[in-house]
């Protein structure tokens, strides 16, 4: 991937009626329509997405997949970027947007709130090409209903300064139990969903807690993860949600070890910072984004057309390479400018992907199959995260 483009992306914060079939019901109790065909576009579509997912050439004249979409469909795109999943959920709940790119820590909240609608995947011609391990997953499918088109994916990796951290770490223990060794120079992702990283570590190292899924924590399991993160807090120099700022911290030596995305490592290495990344022995959390359609959309045809277009090999290749992630469509790998892009991002490596616990919104109904206890939901995680950071 072109690291200058990635830096620009992340530093920059997008009429015939649709024929409708039987109604479905979201878990939030809202009635939702399921499309049975796609009509002519309404002429416009409003998109809420991560920075770098909806590029029209205004940030970089050489990076543009929106113009082709408009030319093909007649749907003019308006786009608003968001910085965090919490912000995305708040904005989507206004009902002002037709489409959203939702990570797993947002998607189930949107489904539960009735803010998005089930999607008839049989209408999307590019869906059959999507990697099977991204389909019918907990973060994009509820009660057997699909809620959108899988997009890019990636792992939350461990990054470290090779000149400051020795020997090479192999475990997340280097930022938990071993964090004192680099006290004040440990960094961690700034979000309640980071609690899952601690839960994953405990799942492997304290099996007596009974954690089977890092996003399905009962009250006692959550308390254990919170305790671990409060201990880590004494050694954390910075929490980050802007990967560019995190890269700058590694370059200056303010941070020497912590969680990152592969794109952050690519930027740092291109700038000459002595860093490396690894997928620790416990596995990792990660993200698999989903393009979803608002339940109140007034432009359903254009919304469906966008979901199909963005998963096409041509568009998916451009987005994945510019943003810095694995594409969802394997045919995109043949079209990236950097022919090693899909190797770098482990595209199609099912064994690698199986080690990733993709962000999934914590809900009260335990997603690990337990029925004898109540699990903690995202609101409880949010409260806990406030306590952790103090």
């Amino acid at each position: 991937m072109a690291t200058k483009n990635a830096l620009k992306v992340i530093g920059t914060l997008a009429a015939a009626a649709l024929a409708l079939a039987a109604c479905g019901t979201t878990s939030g109790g809202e009635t939702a329509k399921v499309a049975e065909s796609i009509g002519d576009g309404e002429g416009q579509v409003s998109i809420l997405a991560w920075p770098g997912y909806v590029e029209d050439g205004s940030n970089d004249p050489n990076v543009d997949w929106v113009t082709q979409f408009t030319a093909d469909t007649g749907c003019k795109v308006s786009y608003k970027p968001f910085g965090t999943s919490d912000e995305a959920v708040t904005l989507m709940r206004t009902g002002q947007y037709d489409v959203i790119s939702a990570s797993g820590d947002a998607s189930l909240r949107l489904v539960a709130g009735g803010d998005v609608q089930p999607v008839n995947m049989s209408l999307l011609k590019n869906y059959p090409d999507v990697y099977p391990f991204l389909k019918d997953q907990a973060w994009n499918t509820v009660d057997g209903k699909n809620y959108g088109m899988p997009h890019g994916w990636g792992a939350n990796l461990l990054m470290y300064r090779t000149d400051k951290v020795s020997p090479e770490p192999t475990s997340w223990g280097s930022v938990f139990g071993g964090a004192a060794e680099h006290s004040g120079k440990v960094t961690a992702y700034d979000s309640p969903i980071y609690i899952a990283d601690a839960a994953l570590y405990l799942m492997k190292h304290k099996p007596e807690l009974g954690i089977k899924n890092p996003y399905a924590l009962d009250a006692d399991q959550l308390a254990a993860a919170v305790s671990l993160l409060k201990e880590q807090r004494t050694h954390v120099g910075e929490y980050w949600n802007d990967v560019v700022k995190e890269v700058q911290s590694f370059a200056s030596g303010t941070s020497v070890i912590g969680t990152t995305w592969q794109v952050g490592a690519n930027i740092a290495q291109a700038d000459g910072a002595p860093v490396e990344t690894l997928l620790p022995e416990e596995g990792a959390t990660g993200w698999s984004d989903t393009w979803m359609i608002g339940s109140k959309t007034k432009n359903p045809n254009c919304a469906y057309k966008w979901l199909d277009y963005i998963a096409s090999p041509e568009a998916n290749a451009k987005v994945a390479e510019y943003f810095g992630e694995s594409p969802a469509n394997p045919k995109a790998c043949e079209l990236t400018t950097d022919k090693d892009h899909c190797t770098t991002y482990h595209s199609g490596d099912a064994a690698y992907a199986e080690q990733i616990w993709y962000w999934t919104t914590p809900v009260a109904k335990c997603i690990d199959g337990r029925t004898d206890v109540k699990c903690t939901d995202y609101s409880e995680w949010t409260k806990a995260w406030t306590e952790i950071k103090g």
Side-chain angles (χ1 to χ4, degrees), residues 159-165 182-187 235 237-238 245-257 268 272-275:
M159 182 161 72
Y160 66 99
R161 286 268 306 229
T162 57
D163 59 338
K164 302 291 184 181
V165 178
H182 303 289
S183 188
K185 296 189 175 183
V186 175
T187 189
H235 305 296
E238 294 181 355
K245 292 181 179 178
E246 187 215 19
V247 166
Q248 293 169 345
S249 293
F250 270 88
S252 67
T254 302
S255 297
V256 301
I257 193 167
V275 301

Side-chain angles (χ1 to χ4, degrees), residues 2-326:
T3 55
K4 289 183 179 178
N5 281 347
L7 183 59
K8 188 179 297 182
V9 174
I10 302 174
T12 305
L13 286 177
L18 181 65
L20 298 171
C23 295
T25 303
T26 70
S27 56
E30 297 289 337
T31 299
K33 305 295 185 180
V34 181
E36 61 179 10
S37 63
I38 303 174
D40 294 335
E42 299 85 359
Q44 60 187 1
V45 63
S46 59
I47 301 176
L48 187 63
W50 289 105
Y53 275 6
V54 185
E55 292 295 315
D56 62 1
S58 57
N59 288 321
D60 184 332
N62 296 315
V63 180
D64 179 3
W65 48 90
V66 170
T67 299
Q68 188 62 55
F69 170 73
T70 300
D72 291 347
T73 65
C75 302
K76 184 178 180 180
V77 173
S78 61
Y79 162 55
K80 182 175 179 61
F82 57 78
T84 67
S85 287
D86 287 349
E87 180 186 358
V89 171
T90 298
L91 289 169
M92 195 63 184
R93 284 179 174 167
T94 66
Q96 298 176 23
Y97 303 95
D98 302 309
V99 173
I100 182 173
S101 68
S103 293
D105 56 334
S107 56
L108 292 188
R109 282 186 278 170
L110 294 171
V111 172
D115 303 301
V116 292
Q117 62 178 272
V119 174
N120 184 346
M121 307 308 291
S122 68
L123 301 179
L124 306 176
K125 65 180 183 298
N126 288 299
Y127 183 66
D129 293 330
V130 170
Y131 287 119
F133 59 82
L134 299 179
K135 299 177 179 180
D136 304 317
Q137 298 296 334
W139 60 88
N140 59 31
T141 304
V142 177
D143 295 332
K145 297 184 180 71
N146 294 114
Y147 278 84
M149 176 69 84
H151 185 65
W153 61 278
N156 297 316
L157 301 169
L158 180 64
M159 182 161 72
Y160 66 99
R161 286 268 306 229
T162 57
D163 59 338
K164 302 291 184 181
V165 178
S166 182
E168 175 185 351
T170 60
S171 165
W172 286 114
S174 59
V175 295
F176 289 121
E181 186 174 345
H182 303 289
S183 188
K185 296 189 175 183
V186 175
T187 189
Y189 189 57
D190 190 2
S191 170
I193 205 67
Y194 183 65
I195 292 172
D197 290 58
L200 175 60
Y201 177 75
L202 292 172
M203 184 169 70
K204 301 295 184 180
H205 294 277
K206 289 195 173 182
E208 64 270 21
L209 290 171
I211 299 174
K212 303 300 182 183
N213 183 312
Y215 304 102
L217 306 180
D218 61 35
D220 291 339
Q221 293 166 341
L222 177 63
V226 169
S227 178
L228 180 62
L229 288 166
K230 285 183 175 178
E231 180 182 340
Q232 182 197 52
R233 175 69 182 94
T234 62
H235 305 296
V236 170
E238 294 181 355
Y239 288 97
W240 68 274
N241 55 30
D242 182 333
V243 76
V244 171
K245 292 181 179 178
E246 187 215 19
V247 166
Q248 293 169 345
S249 293
F250 270 88
S252 67
T254 302
S255 297
V256 301
I257 193 167
T259 185
T260 193
W261 300 328
Q262 183 61 48
V263 64
N266 292 352
I267 295 169
Q269 290 169 343
D271 290 342
V275 301
E276 291 291 343
T277 61
L278 71 147
L279 184 73
E281 59 192 21
E282 298 90 355
T285 61
W287 78 94
S288 173
D289 293 341
T290 304
W291 288 103
M292 311 179 86
I293 299 176
S295 57
K296 298 178 182 178
T297 179
K298 296 180 181 179
N299 303 295
N301 295 316
C302 282
Y304 263 84
K305 289 175 185 293
W306 174 264
L307 263 62
D308 202 26
Y309 172 79
I310 203 65
S312 66
E314 297 80 8
N316 205 209
K318 292 177 180 179
V319 180
E321 192 164 19
Y322 187 59
F323 185 82
E325 62 187 359
S326 171

